[in-house]
Amino acid sequence: MTDADITTTTADWQAWQESWDRQQEWYLPDREERFRIMLGGGPPTDHARWGSPHAFRAMGEVEAVVGTAPRILDLACGTGTITARLPARFPDATSTGVDLDPALLAIAEGTFAGDDRVGPVTADLKDPDWPARLPYDSYDAVLTATALHWLHREPLADLYGQVAGLVRAGGVFMNADHMIDESTPRINGAERAQRHARMEQARESGVLGWTEWWRLAAKDPVLAEPTARRYEIYGDHADGDMPSVQWHARVLREKGFGEARPVWCSPSDTLLLAVR
């Protein structure tokens, strides 16, 4: 099924998940790599081509901390991208997905309906009381990807403090996001030019960009109403800050994590691992 065919099948949640993946990969061609490193290796699945040796190395460290049946908080979960990739590595994991976007949460709720291992929660991460909406007081791991750059530094630092209060002692927090090193403008410029060239090639092959994807969602009989509410909350798009890796690591340590360091990076993105 192509993106253009989605509206002919009401509430085809798997099709919407795959369409969201393609749209996100338009911006982030190495998107699956950060998930492999975050979650580890395993047999091939519909969502990822598991088996990177780097993934096994990174996951060996994380699994040693959280075990094989972790309680996970999928922070700013969107459609549940991280949660959807958990069963291949952690079939006994439980996941709480928290987000504010009504349309993306509708896809997540539809995708995981009937799965008692997954519980989507609606909450605004800028609300200081959002942790009270969660079903658990603590988690083995809090995971997030390409989401927290919507926040500016001050609310992001506050959020890190709240996350530190949710991660159990010895648990982990992993954030894969845009973290720009302003000291390397030529490298940044070269990466940006290459990425935009790839995006243009993908667009010519029919892949939907951000604006086109949301236009399609707005026409869907099930997603039209939550998409309208989503625009009332966010507007078209809202970027916050993209501080450096060093800023993230320093603030995480200041907010209660014992260790924090990158375990993967590209010229524009980093996967940061912090241990409570």
Side-chain angles (χ1 to χ4, degrees):
M1 178 179 291
T2 66
D3 292 328
D5 295 327
I6 291 177
T7 54
T8 66
T9 305
T10 300
D12 188 339
W13 302 120
Q14 186 57 42
W16 279 109
Q17 288 282 3
E18 293 170 0
S19 177
W20 177 259
D21 279 348
R22 285 191 296 270
Q23 181 259 123
Q24 289 289 285
E25 287 164 0
W26 184 62
Y27 296 96
L28 303 164
D30 53 12
R31 183 170 178 255
E32 287 297 338
E33 180 67 9
R34 68 201 69 199
F35 292 137
R36 286 197 294 271
I37 294 171
M38 178 182 284
L39 301 175
T45 71
D46 290 338
H47 290 292
R49 297 164 294 282
W50 305 96
S52 162
H54 300 290
F56 278 108
R57 268 204 305 276
M59 197 57 228
E61 180 180 352
V62 175
E63 186 173 349
V65 176
V66 303
T68 57
R71 178 188 294 168
I72 288 173
L73 176 61
D74 187 349
L75 191 68
C77 66
T79 65
T81 297
I82 292 173
T83 296
R85 286 156 174 75
L86 288 176
R89 192 65 182 87
F90 296 117
D92 297 321
T94 58
S95 178
T96 301
V98 59
D99 207 300
L100 184 63
D101 190 308
L104 299 186
L105 275 176
I107 296 174
E109 290 166 354
T111 299
F112 304 112
D115 189 339
D116 59 9
R117 298 170 300 177
V118 180
V121 172
T122 300
D124 184 351
L125 297 182
K126 292 184 288 186
D127 179 351
D129 295 325
W130 71 266
R133 294 178 174 268
L134 302 177
Y136 305 107
D137 293 331
S138 68
Y139 289 84
D140 300 305
V142 176
L143 308 176
T144 187
T146 325
L148 301 188
H149 64 276
W150 284 50
L151 297 176
H152 292 282
R153 281 173 171 80
E154 185 174 345
L156 180 55
D158 291 341
L159 179 64
Y160 279 169
Q162 293 172 309
V163 169
L166 289 168
V167 176
R168 67 164 172 83
V172 299
F173 169 65
M174 299 188 80
N175 179 16
D177 209 349
H178 310 315
M179 300 181 191
I180 306 300
D181 187 342
E182 299 294 349
S183 70
T184 58
R186 289 182 294 174
I187 294 174
N188 298 347
E191 183 277 334
R192 190 180 306 111
Q194 183 185 52
R195 174 161 41 88
H196 285 194
R198 287 196 302 255
M199 289 168 64
E200 197 57 39
Q201 291 175 350
R203 181 187 287 276
E204 291 172 1
S205 70
V207 175
L208 297 180
W210 175 268
T211 301
E212 293 82 6
W213 191 91
W214 281 108
R215 285 175 182 165
L216 189 65
K219 296 178 182 178
D220 183 83
V222 174
L223 290 178
E225 190 273 335
T227 296
R229 286 192 285 120
R230 182 248 177 229
Y231 274 95
E232 291 176 1
I233 295 170
Y234 295 111
D236 184 58
H237 206 288
D239 276 327
D241 294 333
M242 298 183 195
S244 68
V245 175
Q246 292 76 18
W247 183 92
H248 286 273
R250 174 179 58 79
V251 172
L252 284 166
R253 288 191 292 267
E254 290 174 352
K255 294 297 182 176
F257 286 91
E259 301 175 10
R261 55 156 290 184
V263 292
W264 174 90
C265 69
S266 72
S268 63
D269 285 40
T270 294
L271 173 56
L272 199 70
L273 169 64
V275 178
R276 178 81 161 75

